[in-house]
Amino acid sequence: MPSKQALVRRPGPRVSEGLVTHIDRRPVDAALALRQWERYVRRLHDHGWSTTEVAPADDCPDAVFIEDTMVVFRNVALIARPGADSRRPEIRAARAAAEALGCSVNEVRAPGTLDGGDILKTGDTVHVGRGGRTNAEGVRQLRAAFEPLGARVVAVPISRVLHLKSAVTALPDGTVIGYPPLVDDPAVFPAFRTVPEESGAHVVLLGGDSLLMAASAPRTAELLAGLGYRPVLVDIGEFEKLEGCVTCLSVRLRELAG
């Protein structure tokens, strides 16, 4: 992991108005959400990550979910074009932050749509969820941007969750983990392991054997600890009410030049 840089964006005053699509709306405590976000950022710092706070987008309730603004492969940031119109004003400041960190920048153009949460990278394989927020033209532009860099792009159907990484993420050895009721086709992935909780399907690789996970998945944490990993738990309950998870609260830039 040549670099441990992450982009984050604090929740704004309208976070409780964030979009929900596959779950019922529940009240969100904005003050508690801010405290949970601060603890999330501290967990990154505790494990050697440097964070850049992207300028606020206070009129965009979902702006805290910064991962959706881009996809980074090697040192190239493909700036997203969100599938939800209300999220498109989030993009400008995120792009500026990526440029300031030295990323080479490309962008998805109309009529393509693509959300960063629909992208799961395992080595040089880039799985892209084809569903409600990312369309076929977005997938085509992703291929055009990353295949010349050595990526193998694989489209994955999703229908049960908001984003691909709402259903699956991957362990350091490349094994994809997921909660079966939310995964359309586990056979798409060469190696797949089931987990016992919905939020257990979401991990952020912190480096070494450490995995950032939601505190709402204690049984999955125990399972992964038994496999030799070190779960690092953080409470993100207010963001889970908005279909958020540990992956979507940051953009990890692992391959920037030193």
Side-chain angles (χ1 to χ4, degrees):
M1 192 181 297
S3 66
K4 297 177 80 171
Q5 296 275 348
L7 301 179
V8 295
R9 183 185 248 153
R10 68 181 53 235
R14 296 180 57 194
V15 64
S16 63
E17 302 171 36
L19 299 172
V20 293
T21 56
H22 289 270
I23 61 174
D24 294 330
R25 182 173 294 280
R26 293 180 287 164
V28 173
D29 183 328
L32 178 55
L34 176 58
R35 294 196 296 274
Q36 290 179 349
W37 178 85
E38 290 171 339
R39 287 194 289 270
Y40 174 93
V41 173
R42 282 202 299 273
R43 294 289 188 276
L44 294 177
H45 293 167
D46 290 345
H47 289 80
W49 288 77
S50 298
T51 58
T52 296
E53 188 170 331
V54 176
D58 286 347
D59 288 335
C60 298
D62 292 292
V64 66
F65 301 124
I66 187 73
E67 182 183 51
D68 290 324
T69 63
M70 68 186 74
V71 184
V72 181
F73 185 82
R74 308 284 188 240
N75 70 329
V76 176
L78 177 65
I79 305 302
R81 184 170 182 268
D85 290 349
S86 64
R87 300 200 61 188
R88 291 181 186 163
E90 301 174 23
I91 296 301
R92 179 177 296 180
R95 176 182 182 135
E99 290 175 334
L101 286 173
C103 290
S104 176
V105 171
N106 202 335
E107 64 182 345
V108 176
R109 301 179 184 275
T113 62
L114 183 141
D115 278 16
D118 275 326
I119 310 303
L120 175 63
K121 293 172 288 184
T122 54
D124 289 337
T125 298
V126 179
H127 291 97
V128 51
R130 172 71 174 86
R133 296 288 180 88
T134 295
N135 66 14
E137 176 60 16
V139 174
R140 188 197 68 77
Q141 293 184 40
L142 179 78
R143 283 200 169 98
F146 290 156
E147 284 186 342
L149 305 177
R152 172 178 170 264
V153 176
V154 179
V156 178
I158 56 169
S159 63
R160 306 174 189 179
V161 289
L162 176 61
H163 291 126
L164 177 62
K165 280 197 286 193
S166 302
V168 294
T169 56
L171 299 175
D173 68 358
T175 299
V176 172
I177 58 173
Y179 181 60
L182 300 182
V183 181
D184 283 69
D185 184 9
V188 168
F189 308 105
F192 182 83
R193 178 181 288 272
T194 65
V195 296
E197 295 145 316
E198 178 177 345
S199 60
H202 316 134
V203 297
V204 169
L205 309 186
L206 292 172
D209 294 328
S210 297
L211 307 174
L212 186 61
M213 299 180 58
S216 57
R219 288 183 293 153
T220 304
E222 183 178 3
L223 169 68
L224 297 179
L227 296 175
Y229 295 106
R230 297 181 181 181
V232 176
L233 301 183
V234 62
D235 183 359
I236 56 164
E238 296 308 294
F239 302 109
E240 289 173 330
K241 295 176 183 178
L242 297 167
E243 296 177 283
C245 60
V246 288
T247 65
C248 55
L249 292 170
S250 60
V251 177
R252 283 78 56 197
L253 301 105
R254 305 173 191 271
E255 298 182 76
L256 296 182

